[in-house]
Amino acid sequence: MISDFRTRYRTYQLKADPLCCNKFGLAELFTDCYEGLSLPRPLDVLDVGCGAGPLGIYFAEQFQCSVVGVELNPRACACCAENLSALALEDRFRLVRGDFQQFAADSNGMMFDLIVSVPPVDTSVSPEIVQRYAGRDFRVMDPQSFSYLTNSWHREDGADLMDLIFQYGRTHLRENGRIIIVFCLIDCEASAYILQKAKQYHYICTDQIEQTITPESVGAGGKVTNGIQAFVMSFCMEKEAYYGDPSSTGI
């Protein structure tokens, strides 16, 4: 199927899939407010959980950034690869299919100006669910594994993707680099959860934008009737945290 991804300067028709996390409404919210954020202009961007590729495509095509997108869902990867080919962006957007933990382990020496993610943020996933999916590579997708991967993913020890992103940024963000997290309250109980995670890894919130978006824009049409509160949060490291001991924050 084809889904519209609307930005201020261009609307993209992107290949998508029912078992691919297509929260394009969150990506659109981000692009609407991006140029008003207090951010240095990035050259190198890491898109964690890039899905069908909207955010990475936005940076690669409209800002000529060099983008790396990491995605575990094989269906999302297939859609993203088709979108990059259709837009002739393969030279600026490198798609990595796999677990972000493995990417982090293999990316010594890589540095980024911006890490952006629309991550799964589930504050109530049970240890039983985590153990059920521990060690899965998700090459075979069904509605249950898709729901876990896109809404509830946690590492076996309980760390979620937020932990891994903030840890990775400690040693792979350039000075004055930023992490941007985009999420909505259909996934997360409260924005305080994200702020607490950032504080745990010595980050400061530099921007926080809150808007109401439609349920349909995040694939929740029919499940939620009212508007959904969505957030864009930008974080920078506390100055004294730069180039700290990597062993204390290792993934």
Side-chain angles (χ1 to χ4, degrees):
M1 68 185 197
I2 301 296
S3 294
D4 285 346
F5 168 49
R6 300 175 180 87
T7 73
R8 184 177 302 177
Y9 304 111
R10 178 175 180 179
T11 295
Y12 300 88
Q13 284 76 48
L14 300 183
K15 176 71 178 296
D17 184 282
L19 291 182
C20 174
C21 191
N22 301 311
K23 296 180 179 177
F24 285 3
L26 291 175
E28 290 172 352
L29 169 61
F30 170 78
T31 65
D32 284 346
C33 66
Y34 168 69
E35 293 185 64
L37 299 176
S38 55
L39 301 175
R41 182 61 60 89
L43 297 175
D44 297 291
V45 176
L46 174 62
D47 185 357
V48 181
C50 64
L55 289 181
I57 287 168
Y58 171 71
F59 281 107
E61 204 266 342
Q62 296 192 25
F63 295 93
Q64 291 75 53
C65 295
S66 176
V67 177
V68 176
V70 184
E71 176 57 54
L72 182 55
N73 183 332
R75 295 198 184 196
C77 280
C79 290
C80 187
E82 287 193 37
N83 293 329
L84 296 179
S85 177
L87 293 164
L89 288 175
E90 296 101 327
D91 61 333
R92 275 183 271 170
F93 188 140
R94 179 166 73 90
L95 176 62
V96 178
R97 192 275 170 191
D99 192 315
F100 181 63
Q101 298 175 93
Q102 188 60 53
F103 169 81
D106 294 340
S107 62
N108 288 339
M110 296 185 71
M111 299 296 290
F112 298 95
D113 304 295
L114 179 65
I115 299 173
V116 62
S117 183
V118 183
V121 186
D122 188 341
T123 58
S124 60
V125 60
S126 70
E128 291 77 17
I129 294 295
V130 173
Q131 291 301 316
R132 179 185 304 173
Y133 290 100
R136 288 279 296 273
D137 64 6
F138 298 98
R139 290 183 182 276
V140 178
M141 297 292 295
D142 56 39
Q144 290 73 36
S145 57
F146 163 74
S147 178
Y148 173 76
L149 183 62
T150 59
N151 299 305
S152 307
W153 185 92
H154 280 65
R155 194 166 63 180
E156 191 172 355
D157 64 3
D160 64 10
L161 193 58
M162 297 295 307
D163 291 289
L164 272 59
I165 290 170
F166 283 127
Q167 288 172 348
Y168 185 81
R170 290 287 301 273
T171 49
H172 292 269
L173 268 182
R174 294 190 178 104
E175 191 166 0
N176 298 318
R178 296 289 192 274
I179 292 176
I180 296 182
I181 304 297
V182 189
F183 65 99
C184 64
L185 294 190
I186 196 172
D187 298 320
C188 182
E189 290 182 358
S191 58
Y193 177 77
I194 308 295
L195 293 168
Q196 183 275 329
K197 285 285 187 183
K199 184 177 180 180
Q200 178 182 344
Y201 296 102
H202 305 286
Y203 289 84
I204 299 167
C205 184
T206 57
D207 297 276
Q208 178 173 323
I209 295 172
E210 178 180 355
Q211 290 188 20
T212 301
I213 61 175
T214 66
E216 291 77 15
S217 70
V218 290
K223 301 176 185 177
V224 180
T225 56
N226 298 323
I228 298 170
Q229 295 305 108
F231 297 82
V232 176
M233 289 186 176
S234 170
F235 300 94
C236 70
M237 257 185 290
E238 296 175 359
K239 289 299 183 182
E240 60 271 23
Y242 277 106
Y243 312 119
D245 178 6
S247 66
S248 66
T249 58
I251 294 176

